[in-house]
Amino acid sequence: MRKNRGFSIILPFLPLVLFVFSGMALAMTGGPDSYGYRYMDSEESGAAPFSWIDISKTGTDYPLGNYDMSADIPIGFTFKFYGINYNTVRLSSSGFITFKKTSLNGAAGGEPIPTEKGLADNMIAAFWDNLKAGT
Amino acid sequence: MFIVSYINVPFLYDETGENREHTFQIILYEGSNDIQVNYLDVHPRDMSKHTTTAGIENANGSSGLQYERFNTFTRYRNIYVRYYTGSAPDPDPDPDPDPDPDPDTGTPPPSGGDFHGGSLFFPYILLDPECHTELCIINPDSKQTQGGVFKKYDENGRLIQESGSISIPPRGRHDMAIVDLMGLNGNVAYMVFEPDSESETLVGYEKFISGEEGGESVPGAREPSHSVLDIPHIASDANWFTRIVLINAGDTARNINIKFDNGETVSMEIGPGEHKAFLIKDLFGGDPMPDIHSARIFGSGLIGMELFGSVDEKNELTAILLSNQKEHVVCYPHIVENENWYCGLVAYTYSSTCDLTITPYSADGTPFPEIYRTISTSSRLAGSAGSLGLPQDTAWLEIEGTKSLSGFELFGNVNGGLAGFVCTGMKKKAGVFPDLDSGDVTSIGFVNTEDSEAYVILTAYRDDGTVVATSSINISAHAKVVGEVQGLFDQSIDEATYIAFSSDKEIMGFQLNTSTGQEEADALPIL
């Protein structure tokens, strides 16, 4: 069964990708890890308001199957992650993106982060779980 | 900015029967390198074997952050989390414009630190009429051709020369002497192999030979420090020198502090892409520092190497990468002590007092009685087979610590050959012994660290990726196999330049090349 997903596609599970320019102000609540990363979320006092960016009409569709990983996708600029510069990224159907040249899709995730199990490395996990590619 | 959106995504198996759907997006920011994840509508869950998690993690799983709010399994709408480094994120990232040209030369100033993902660093280059350095890249992929370029940098991080495009066929190998590729150029401080596609599958090593200091091989380095690099062994006295080599792989200058185990601290700044090489004694007015045995370098984005050698006529020299990797159980695959060879090993921890359990094994996998030691904060266990009281037939050993350890071993002979390698991160099910040097004697060794027999397939390759010979061996649980590499094959492998292996168990492996007279020796772990 397919519900309204706000964009015109055939498969119901499609990451969309867009390049635009903007910025945002934040404060700290978590970390640092051993490299120096920290995080804060929008529930904290003084945080900028939440703002969803709708790319459904401007992005590019990347259809994925269950337990699937995309090919390399150009970022469009150099992005530094844990001290390393990257120009491409891969999308997992399990709710994360990775800079690793791997076909490992994080199936059986999510795991505590960081994990040395090697199920998924060099990644940004937004919602790491076994997610469904189609209905 | 770069945005990935996941729209109305359900769980693959939803035990609640509610068919919950989730909508979220990941945003990468140019310039600041911040990451923001927007959650329009999500509902993380707690399954029997896993939970929904969110966070970031580095390349080997040794560092990361988990977004703890998702530890409460409820519905979240219209929230975001932002990941960033530094004291505070830039509210309005404004990437630096291109630097102005140098008015004197018309060439741009150094773009140090702008290194491509997947780059392999070769931190120490010897290049003059008396010394030379060889570099090697291997493509372990059985199907895809891979390639890239070698880039040469000076000590300030300025790119001074690059090779043409190099293409390596599947299972292929490419080696070269730097002098053949680029001629003699005294400005070179380090080299980088930049792969075409940011591939992290290519492996490589460098081998440097010095008439005065002997020679050694070291794997190419890919992983910069997260926040600290340990120097597990320093020998700075009348007989030995220790040289430290650092590269700032980041794109900003860093202030680093080197804290030594005698309480001394030395600070220095290292610019983006800058290369520093110095003897320990140079930090202390040229005086040897026999009371220093280890150190920690506090700074992120660093590639590091240490070299130690003797100052006598033997010209012993060996080198190891300064590794980020630490393990609770470190294995040392080659213990030897006889009339020709000796070995030394080091286990180091920066943590509080650490209890060590040393388990020696014979070559057939029989464990000997355990040996116990305790080391204190920022201290190390260092010794030879004899000084540690190891049984005479010890072939290899493992050290288990109550704290995580870094470690390395070295072995030398009476003729002046000295070699070593880092012992963490060595266990693999597939890899390569990368250097069958026709002018040397090459020996390889395997240790099966698991509790059941390992089946290992060996394939000898030419540089063009074609097969010369294949073989297989069975290695009993905890046993060790070592010998000259030709002895492991029925067919001649004279035309082979490297050996690949695959195993159904995790094994440790290393190779040792020695000159005919054993005056020179170099070792590499499996890559």
Side-chain angles (χ1 to χ4, degrees), chain B residues 392-449:
Chain B
Q392 187 174 5
D393 293 333
T394 299
W396 69 281
L397 61 82
E398 65 181 21
I399 299 179
E400 181 173 5
T402 51
K403 303 289 190 300
S404 60
L405 303 168
S406 54
F408 74 92
E409 70 166 302
L410 55 83
F411 24 92
N413 61 46
V414 295
N415 299 309
L418 185 66
F421 46 72
V422 173
C423 293
T424 50
M426 283 187 72
K427 295 178 184 176
K428 295 183 177 179
K429 287 188 173 180
V432 298
F433 299 93
D435 181 22
L436 303 184
D437 192 323
S438 59
D440 289 346
V441 177
T442 301
S443 300
I444 64 174
F446 293 99
V447 169
N448 175 8
T449 62

Side-chain angles (χ1 to χ4, degrees), chain A residues 34-52:
Chain A
S34 61
Y35 180 81
Y37 273 103
R38 304 172 188 270
Y39 72 78
M40 77 149 293
D41 75 7
S42 53
E43 301 293 285
E44 294 303 311
S45 174
F50 174 85
S51 177
W52 179 262

Side-chain angles (χ1 to χ4, degrees), chain B residues 198-211:
Chain B
E198 301 182 31
S199 169
E200 294 183 357
T201 60
L202 294 168
V203 296
Y205 69 90
E206 66 168 304
K207 177 188 281 191
F208 41 86
I209 305 292
S210 163

Side-chain angles (χ1 to χ4, degrees), chain B residues 306-348:
Chain B
E306 69 166 315
L307 303 93
F308 28 89
S310 63
V311 296
D312 59 18
E313 68 280 0
K314 285 185 178 179
N315 295 328
E316 296 167 296
L317 176 74
T318 193
I320 60 170
L321 290 176
L322 302 181
S323 170
N324 291 308
Q325 200 154 8
K326 297 171 180 58
E327 296 172 344
H328 278 283
V329 180
V330 180
C331 298
Y332 299 78
H334 193 50
I335 304 299
V336 57
E337 191 157 274
N338 55 41
E339 66 273 18
N340 294 317
W341 288 88
Y342 67 93
C343 74
L345 57 89
V346 169
Y348 172 83

